[in-house]
Amino acid sequence: MKEKIYKILPDFLQNFMVYIYNRQAYKRRYGGEYENFRKEKKDNRTLSLEELKEYQKNRYSRLIEFAIQNSEYYKKSIGNIDNAVLIENISSLPIVNKEVFRNNIDAIIVKTSEKLEKSKTGGTTGKSLEVKFFVRDSQERFAFLDDFRSRFGYELGKKTAWFSGKSLLTDRDIKKKRFWKTDFINNVRYYSTFHIKDDYLKYYVENLLSYAPEYLVGFPSTILEIAKYGLANGYDFPENTVKAVFPTAETITAETRYHIEKFFKTKLYNQYASSEGAPFIIECKEGNLHLELQSGVFEVLDENDQPAKSGRLIVTSFTTAATPLIRYDIGDSITLEEADKKCSCGNNNPLVKEILGRIDDFIYSVENGKINLGNVSNTLKDTKGIIRFQAVQNKLEELDLYVVADKEIYSKQIEKIFIGNWKDRVGNSMKIHLHYVNEIPVEASGKYRIVKNNIKNLL
């Protein structure tokens, strides 16, 4: 009913409805224990590594004890493990992968009389999943996020351009080339991530120029396309307008960072979390990534489930008590920095060298093994005229490349370089099929995927 009413309202009333929705959401988000959490996060910014580990140890024990007492699944799976509440015994607990999590979700969610919030994970793997949160856990998660962003001057009310999976436009908006809705009270303009086409990008760029946001938040793939269009078409974004870009939900490649920072003349500060409630990894003012030990436990494991410097990420989160994430294989991989490397920013949490992204965001070559997202992105080296592309692997020894090309710049010579870059990575035995298309659609979530690996079951 709300959606039907929304669609028939004029634009200014739709903007008002966006504000009403936000007002209700902000009341939940910033009420209750939020202020106490914000104060704690700010006060703890300079804790020593030893103090952070002590905090982590105590939160871990409380989480495990709570899960055993209140979750049917964890009572059965870890309730009989000796000293399960001790963090030094974490490796004795079973790893929970996504299929196990999905198939046992009702038993994992704790039994409580409290009203729980619902959150759906993205469906980029083909399946969505609904998890539940205590309100206080959601408030703590927003306190972590807001504390991170506040280090670069952001607070609610600062003029912000937001790019997320909200579907807010009507056919009238498209006809009028209006690809945004605005909460004028809270100074947030929401740009559609479902209409990133060449025919529309000029309207995004020109509106951003006139709106002049202080901060950009949201899907980096969308912001990247806008930045690339602006650079290619000679738009000059004024310096000192955007103070920071905060990407969400997607892996940041060197190409993404380069173009966004170049066009908007600012810095991009990365953060890692998830809609399931994974603990946080945040980027500091020095450009270093830090594990946030106050938000959970991070394990990096190799293919034999042994600790490694680079490998798949197993998380235990302190802010998901209603749907506990305990040794959860989240499907991402990271590389840790050397243990003795320190950061001058004052944050003493351990450092991460690189967030490698989703484990299924890779192309697999029989000849050369896994080609991760960063190397896939680098196939654009020394090419011009490729507006965007998507790599899809449906067979072990075949690869489909979908390319949107600028016909005035793109040439057979560039095609040869592009294919050569791919051959350098996947080897000469893999068959590469090139498809030229007018458009590559985003996912239902509004995200754009540069890689689709559909052969994970074969590996």
Side-chain angles (χ1 to χ4, degrees):
M1 180 63 71
K2 288 180 181 178
E3 290 180 6
K4 289 180 179 178
I5 294 172
Y6 176 85
K7 287 181 179 179
I8 64 174
L9 291 175
D11 180 59
F12 78 95
L13 285 179
Q14 288 177 341
N15 289 329
F16 182 70
M17 282 192 72
V18 170
Y19 158 69
I20 293 298
Y21 173 85
N22 280 344
R23 186 178 70 170
Q24 294 172 332
Y26 293 156
K27 188 176 180 180
R28 295 191 303 272
R29 184 180 304 176
Y30 299 124
E33 298 181 47
Y34 172 82
E35 287 299 332
N36 292 331
F37 287 132
R38 268 302 293 272
K39 183 177 186 304
E40 179 191 56
K41 307 317 170 195
K42 186 175 181 180
D43 290 346
N44 289 355
R45 283 183 185 179
T46 57
L47 289 180
S48 68
L49 181 58
E50 291 71 25
E51 289 170 323
L52 289 165
K53 286 182 176 179
E54 184 66 21
Y55 180 102
Q56 182 190 53
K57 181 177 76 172
N58 293 332
R59 285 291 297 263
Y60 177 83
S61 293
R62 284 156 47 194
L63 169 70
I64 300 302
E65 185 176 8
F66 179 85
I68 291 173
Q69 291 175 352
N70 296 279
S71 167
E72 178 186 332
Y73 176 83
Y74 286 111
K75 183 178 182 179
K76 291 180 180 178
S77 66
I78 65 176
N80 294 323
I81 297 175
D82 291 339
N83 295 317
V85 297
L86 301 180
I87 197 169
E88 53 264 34
N89 294 332
I90 191 170
S91 62
S92 65
L93 276 57
I95 293 172
V96 178
N97 63 34
K98 292 210 173 211
E99 282 306 303
V100 170
F101 190 73
R102 190 184 311 280
N103 294 335
N104 293 277
I105 188 66
D106 291 336
I108 288 173
I109 295 173
V110 301
K111 307 305 178 192
T112 178
S113 59
E114 287 189 49
K115 185 177 180 180
L116 301 178
E117 293 186 339
K118 298 177 182 179
S119 174
K120 286 191 176 182
T121 68
T124 53
T125 60
K127 300 176 183 177
S128 185
L129 178 68
E130 184 176 272
V131 297
K132 295 182 179 180
F133 291 94
F134 287 113
V135 172
R136 60 182 174 275
D137 283 343
S138 295
Q139 290 166 350
E140 184 171 15
R141 291 189 66 76
F142 281 113
F144 271 117
L145 265 178
D146 292 343
D147 179 69
F148 156 61
R149 291 171 181 163
S150 72
R151 302 177 196 204
F152 309 100
Y154 173 85
E155 294 289 347
L156 181 64
K158 296 291 182 75
K159 189 180 280 190
T160 302
W162 211 287
F163 305 84
S164 71
K166 292 182 175 68
S167 180
L168 297 173
L169 304 187
T170 64
D171 292 340
R172 297 194 313 275
D173 293 315
I174 309 305
K175 189 174 182 180
K176 292 186 176 183
K177 305 298 188 290
R178 182 174 57 214
F179 301 100
W180 49 84
K181 295 295 175 184
T182 309
D183 175 349
F184 288 102
I185 307 300
N186 292 299
N187 267 336
V188 184
R189 178 160 291 178
Y190 296 94
Y191 289 86
S192 171
T193 57
F194 300 99
H195 299 86
I196 303 302
K197 298 169 59 176
D198 289 345
D199 295 344
Y200 299 155
L201 283 171
K202 83 181 286 286
Y203 302 102
Y204 281 83
V205 172
E206 291 176 0
N207 187 264
L208 281 163
L209 282 164
S210 64
Y211 185 59
E214 292 183 78
Y215 297 93
L216 273 62
V217 181
F219 296 163
S221 58
T222 297
I223 303 172
L224 170 65
E225 295 305 323
I226 293 168
K228 287 169 69 175
Y229 182 90
L231 291 167
N233 290 277
Y235 288 94
D236 184 27
F237 214 92
E239 287 190 50
N240 303 317
T241 301
V242 179
K243 294 183 172 62
V245 178
F246 301 123
T248 63
E250 298 171 350
T251 305
I252 299 300
T253 66
E255 182 213 15
T256 299
R257 186 184 291 271
Y258 171 79
H259 285 101
I260 290 175
E261 291 187 344
K262 184 176 181 181
F263 179 64
F264 290 104
K265 300 186 175 86
T266 190
K267 288 292 184 182
L268 180 152
Y269 296 99
N270 198 8
Q271 61 88 18
Y272 172 92
S274 77
S275 47
E276 298 106 308
F280 290 91
I281 300 173
I282 62 172
E283 184 173 338
C284 70
K285 63 183 180 180
E286 301 298 328
N288 292 318
L289 292 164
H290 295 259
L291 299 176
E292 182 48 80
L293 299 188
Q294 295 176 85
S295 66
V297 182
F298 304 82
E299 298 174 79
V300 182
L301 304 182
D302 62 19
E303 294 178 354
N304 297 313
D305 293 340
Q306 296 302 306
K309 183 180 175 184
S310 183
R312 75 189 209 279
L313 181 62
I314 309 298
V315 298
T316 299
S317 176
F318 300 153
T319 57
T320 59
T323 311
L325 299 183
I326 299 173
R327 298 205 86 199
Y328 178 57
D329 188 340
I330 196 165
D332 292 330
S333 54
I334 67 172
T335 298
L336 299 172
E337 269 289 5
E338 299 297 338
D340 59 352
K341 183 173 180 180
K342 307 297 180 186
C343 183
S344 61
C345 74
N347 185 338
N348 293 306
N349 279 291
L351 295 173
V352 175
K353 186 173 185 179
E354 188 179 12
I355 300 173
L356 298 170
R358 298 199 57 78
I359 290 173
D360 55 5
D361 277 349
F362 67 84
I363 297 300
Y364 184 81
S365 160
V366 174
E367 196 172 329
N368 294 336
K370 293 180 179 180
I371 295 88
N372 65 30
L373 188 62
N375 280 329
V376 168
S377 178
N378 287 337
T379 58
L380 291 174
K381 185 178 180 182
D382 297 325
T383 66
K384 292 182 179 180
I386 297 177
I387 298 171
R388 68 184 61 88
F389 77 93
Q390 185 177 71
V392 180
Q393 188 170 15
N394 294 312
K395 296 181 180 180
L396 199 57
E397 297 188 357
E398 293 187 30
L399 180 65
D400 290 286
L401 300 176
Y402 295 87
V403 176
V404 179
D406 183 334
K407 295 176 182 177
E408 294 185 4
I409 303 173
Y410 192 75
S411 65
K412 283 290 181 184
Q413 180 59 28
I414 293 172
E415 178 186 285
K416 184 178 178 181
I417 294 171
F418 185 54
I419 294 296
N421 288 343
W422 272 103
K423 290 289 187 183
D424 288 343
R425 287 157 176 78
V426 301
N428 293 313
S429 62
M430 180 176 279
K431 294 180 181 178
I432 297 177
H433 306 289
L434 206 54
H435 309 275
Y436 292 103
V437 296
N438 294 323
E439 181 183 355
I440 298 174
V442 296
E443 303 296 306
S445 62
K447 300 177 187 177
Y448 167 66
R449 291 180 69 188
I450 192 173
V451 170
K452 285 189 173 184
N453 185 319
N454 297 321
I455 61 161
K456 296 186 292 296
N457 60 310
L458 302 178
L459 303 178

